[in-house]
Amino acid sequence: MTARATDARRAAVLGSPIAHSLSPVLHRTAYRELGLTGWSYDRFEVDEEALPGFVGKLGPEWAGLSLTMPLKRAVIPLLDEVSETAASVEAVNTVVFTDDGRRLGDNTDIPGMVAALRERGVEQVDSAAVLGAGATASSALAALARICTGEIVAYVRSEARAAEMRQWGERLALDVRTAHWADAERALHAPLVIATTPAGATDALSHAVPERPATLFDVLYDPWPTALAARWSAYGGAVVSGLDLLVHQAVLQVEQMTGHGPAPLDAMRKAGEHALAER
């Protein structure tokens, strides 16, 4: 049953640290644009140890939760059902509470990545490169499973990380090859490069951007642009930012949690840009 716009409903983003999260800005903008006057969206500092207690105390007014690190895997045992998308990477970033009290887990990062790329005209690629290994990198592989028809090369710093990426590739039925981070400059010649590394990690690669780069998806958004994204844009390449990803996955969250849509993509992006500019 879809809630009425005036119903008092709650949602929030949980994580640790959480003060930096743009999710409240994006979701509140969506509520305002959709006329959901009874809806509120907050942020709570919650770690893995505190998560079961927090979720267990939520009342019937709660519609959903957004989850960021380190909770995306920790929440899974607390759920009644997990979508195939979330199960494919063992990561839930969205929980929806049904009218009968069930807790449904999903991952909107993966379709959010696909939607952000599609918005830039990237529907399909015959190969791709992933910079980094970790939770975001596994989501990147899951997104590539939907749009990449050939080999994916993951550039990582350790053999342990390389083994993890190959395992994710097998699980997702992808052709994943790994290479050492020392050779990461080669990644920049791929039709699609997805950078999943922390701030500063790809700065040293910016001098190696080719004269005619294709598409870079850099999952960071603050600070922005990264040195790599700035050089990429200067050379005329297409750049998809972490804010694009954040907005597209939030659009899907809003629609799932509220039952209303379509969520206002452009208004949410502008609100996010304004919030970042004020920092």
Side-chain angles (χ1 to χ4, degrees):
M1 182 179 71
T2 301
R4 298 189 304 273
T6 54
D7 285 347
R9 301 302 305 275
R10 297 188 67 182
V13 59
L14 314 181
S16 183
I18 200 62
H20 68 287
S21 176
L22 285 179
S23 292
V25 171
L26 303 182
H27 284 251
R28 291 168 185 169
T29 297
Y31 297 167
R32 184 169 60 251
E33 294 289 321
L34 291 170
L36 301 177
T37 56
W39 286 71
S40 64
Y41 189 100
D42 303 294
R43 64 163 70 90
F44 294 95
E45 182 84 17
V46 178
D47 61 16
E48 293 170 275
E49 184 178 357
L51 182 62
F54 185 95
V55 173
K57 293 178 181 178
L58 300 181
E61 75 277 12
W62 282 86
L65 297 171
S66 307
L67 299 165
T68 186
M69 299 303 291
L71 306 178
K72 294 183 180 183
R73 184 168 294 179
V75 75
I76 292 176
L78 308 177
L79 304 176
D80 297 299
E81 185 178 324
V82 175
S83 71
E84 288 186 15
T85 301
S88 72
V89 292
E90 296 180 5
V92 166
N93 78 326
T94 306
V95 176
V96 175
F97 301 105
T98 65
D99 289 342
D100 59 2
R102 298 178 73 237
R103 304 166 180 169
L104 311 181
D106 195 13
N107 186 310
T108 63
D109 286 332
I110 295 165
M113 282 185 175
V114 174
L117 285 165
R118 184 177 295 124
E119 187 181 29
R120 294 294 192 278
V122 180
E123 300 274 353
Q124 183 175 298
V125 292
D126 56 14
S127 63
V130 176
L131 299 175
T136 305
S138 61
S139 291
L141 290 180
L144 287 170
R146 304 184 180 193
I147 66 169
C148 185
T149 60
E151 184 182 65
I152 299 162
V153 183
Y155 292 82
V156 299
R157 296 186 183 276
S158 71
E159 177 52 37
R161 288 293 197 180
E164 288 179 11
M165 291 298 280
R166 290 192 295 268
Q167 288 171 0
W168 282 119
E170 292 176 8
R171 182 167 178 167
L172 294 163
L174 286 171
D175 181 10
V176 176
R177 180 167 65 85
T178 55
H180 196 273
W181 185 263
D183 298 321
E185 291 182 5
R186 296 180 183 177
L188 308 186
H189 296 271
L192 172 61
V193 181
I194 304 182
T196 69
T197 49
T202 61
D203 289 358
L205 299 176
S206 60
H207 76 281
V209 174
E211 288 188 4
R212 295 183 179 180
T215 301
L216 170 69
F217 193 156
D218 194 325
V219 302
L220 295 174
Y221 61 84
D222 188 16
W224 186 263
T226 62
L228 181 60
R231 180 67 64 91
W232 202 277
S233 293
Y235 279 23
V239 175
V240 185
S241 74
L243 182 61
D244 294 321
L245 166 59
L246 191 65
V247 171
H248 276 282
Q249 65 83 26
V251 161
L252 297 171
Q253 287 186 335
V254 167
E255 292 172 354
Q256 287 189 28
M257 292 179 189
T258 69
H260 293 267
L265 174 70
D266 291 340
M268 292 167 70
R269 178 183 281 120
K270 289 177 182 176
E273 291 171 345
H274 180 71
L276 286 174
E278 288 189 329
R279 290 186 178 179

